């Protein structure tokens, strides 16, 4: 099949999986459950829809005949691929910390992401939701935001590859942020897009940003769900530390 139709179908499947939860949710509300109870009872169906969507997206993308130039380039070998996945995980955590500090102490945006908090609250109430956060969610997001949106923009933009990369990154990163409805933390989503897009370009394997994204999300879930109390203590210590660091960073940026 032609790549354009696979891309369109990939995006439609992703959107459909997002809205599928409305069907069981409405059904349970008609059975007399409150809105919150109906939503929680719908979570297993929501996760199932993402699992099915991920399988479909992976399958249809194997049917592409006219691949992009990036996808036709030599791919990283097995050892390098594993190295980039593990390294990408640590780089993503570091980037999240750095961009998070700039976003909070330089741009004066909220420290806590309401979107992340909502997701973690759902995971605590319905642990099956962790499957969506740590596994199938990253699969769909990387296919849509990295392979389809970033990849196609990187393909069609003419000129130096660094310029194509920058433009594709900015556009796909902003859409990535908008999809999470978390504009206060757009800079952080841009940072994540930078890491995952770089992994894709450096290895020519979509599995690399997918796996790194999975590891990052799984780590966040473990920290905020399993070790929530200790994370709160660490955040308070970090806040006290960054109160001293922030003026230095701000002074440097104003040079």
């Amino acid at each position: 099949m032609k790549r354009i139709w696979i891309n369109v179908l990939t995006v439609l499947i992703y959107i459909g999986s997002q809205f599928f939860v409305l069907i069981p949710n409405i059904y349970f509300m008609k059975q007399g459950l409150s809105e919150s109870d109906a939503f929680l009872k719908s979570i297993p169906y929501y996760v199932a829809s993402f699992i099915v969507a991920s399988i479909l997206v992976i399958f249809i993308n194997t049917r592409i005949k006219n691949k992009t130039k990036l996808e036709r380039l030599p791919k990283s070998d097995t050892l390098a691929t594993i190295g980039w996945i593990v390294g990408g995980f640590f780089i993503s955590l570091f980037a999240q910390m750095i961009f998070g500090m700039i976003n909070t102490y330089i741009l004066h945006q909220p420290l806590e992401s309401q979107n992340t908090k909502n997701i973690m609250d759902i995971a605590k109430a319905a642990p099956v939701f962790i499957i969506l956060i740590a596994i199938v969610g990253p699969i769909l997001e990387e296919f849509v935001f990295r392979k389809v949106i970033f990849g196609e923009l990187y393909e069609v933009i003419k000129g130096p590859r660094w310029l194509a990369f920058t433009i594709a990154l900015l556009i796909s990163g902003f859409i990535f942020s908008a999809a999470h409805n978390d504009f206060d933390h757009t800079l952080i989503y841009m940072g994540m897009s930078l890491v995952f897009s770089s992994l894709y370009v450096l290895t020519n394997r979509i599995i690399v940003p997918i796996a790194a994204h999975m590891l990052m999300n799984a780590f966040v879930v473990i920290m905020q769900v399993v070790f929530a109390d200790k994370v709160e203590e660490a955040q308070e210590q970090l806040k006290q530390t960054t109160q001293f660091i922030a003026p230095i960073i701000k002074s440097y940026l104003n040079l």
Side-chain angles (χ1 to χ4, degrees):
M1 294 180 66
K2 290 187 176 180
R3 190 176 72 247
I4 182 63
W5 298 115
I6 296 292
N7 289 339
V8 170
L9 189 54
T10 296
V11 174
L12 290 176
I13 291 173
Y14 173 70
I15 294 174
S17 65
Q18 296 281 355
F19 287 98
F20 177 82
V21 71
L22 294 175
I23 298 174
N25 192 57
I26 292 173
Y27 172 79
F28 290 128
M29 287 180 66
K30 287 184 176 181
Q31 300 301 308
L33 293 180
S34 65
E35 184 176 347
S36 58
D37 288 341
F39 178 73
L40 286 177
K41 196 168 182 178
S42 301
I43 293 299
Y45 300 93
Y46 194 20
V47 174
S49 72
F50 263 67
I51 293 174
V52 172
S54 297
I55 294 171
L56 287 175
V57 164
I58 292 171
F59 174 74
I60 64 175
N61 274 267
T62 63
R63 316 307 295 175
I64 294 176
K65 301 301 182 183
N66 57 329
K67 296 182 178 181
T68 62
K69 293 177 182 178
L70 177 61
E71 293 171 322
R72 294 197 301 270
L73 290 172
K75 302 183 184 299
S76 59
D77 59 35
T78 302
L79 186 60
T81 297
I82 295 172
W84 279 115
I85 289 172
V86 176
F89 162 62
F90 286 105
I91 293 171
S92 66
L93 293 180
F94 179 74
Q96 197 171 46
M97 181 184 69
I98 296 300
F99 283 101
M101 290 175 60
I102 295 173
N103 195 57
T104 300
Y105 298 104
I106 305 300
L107 301 181
H108 304 294
Q109 296 299 326
L111 176 63
E112 185 177 38
S113 167
Q114 188 60 45
N115 176 67
T116 300
K117 182 179 182 302
N118 292 340
I119 291 174
M120 292 304 112
D121 287 343
I122 295 172
K124 292 175 184 177
V128 69
F129 195 65
I130 294 174
I131 296 174
L132 188 152
I133 300 171
I135 301 176
V136 290
I139 292 174
L140 287 177
E141 288 184 350
E142 291 308 310
F143 267 101
V144 171
F145 299 108
R146 242 60 63 189
K147 191 172 187 294
V148 174
I149 300 177
F150 171 84
E152 288 300 326
L153 288 171
Y154 188 74
E155 173 82 0
V156 301
I157 295 173
K158 306 302 180 184
R161 288 298 82 193
W162 67 265
L163 179 61
F165 179 89
T166 302
I167 296 174
L169 168 66
L170 292 174
I171 295 175
S172 62
F174 181 78
I175 297 174
F176 184 48
S177 174
H180 289 80
N181 192 29
D182 195 5
F183 292 104
D184 287 343
H185 296 82
T186 294
L187 183 64
I188 298 175
Y189 286 100
M190 286 291 186
M192 295 302 95
S193 295
L194 171 62
V195 173
F196 298 140
S197 297
S198 298
L199 291 174
Y200 184 33
V201 171
L202 288 169
T203 64
N204 305 319
R205 291 182 182 274
I206 192 61
I207 186 60
V208 176
I210 287 175
H213 196 161
M214 284 180 176
L215 290 174
M216 185 193 75
N217 281 14
F219 178 80
V220 172
V221 169
I222 291 171
M223 290 295 100
Q224 297 202 25
V225 175
V226 181
F227 300 108
D229 294 338
K230 293 184 179 179
V231 169
E232 288 182 6
E233 294 177 6
Q235 287 178 335
E236 184 59 32
Q237 292 177 355
L238 178 62
K239 184 177 180 180
Q240 294 175 2
T241 302
T242 51
Q243 285 177 345
F244 295 98
I245 298 176
I248 299 174
I249 297 175
K250 190 172 183 179
S251 175
Y252 175 78
L253 293 177
N254 287 333
L255 289 178

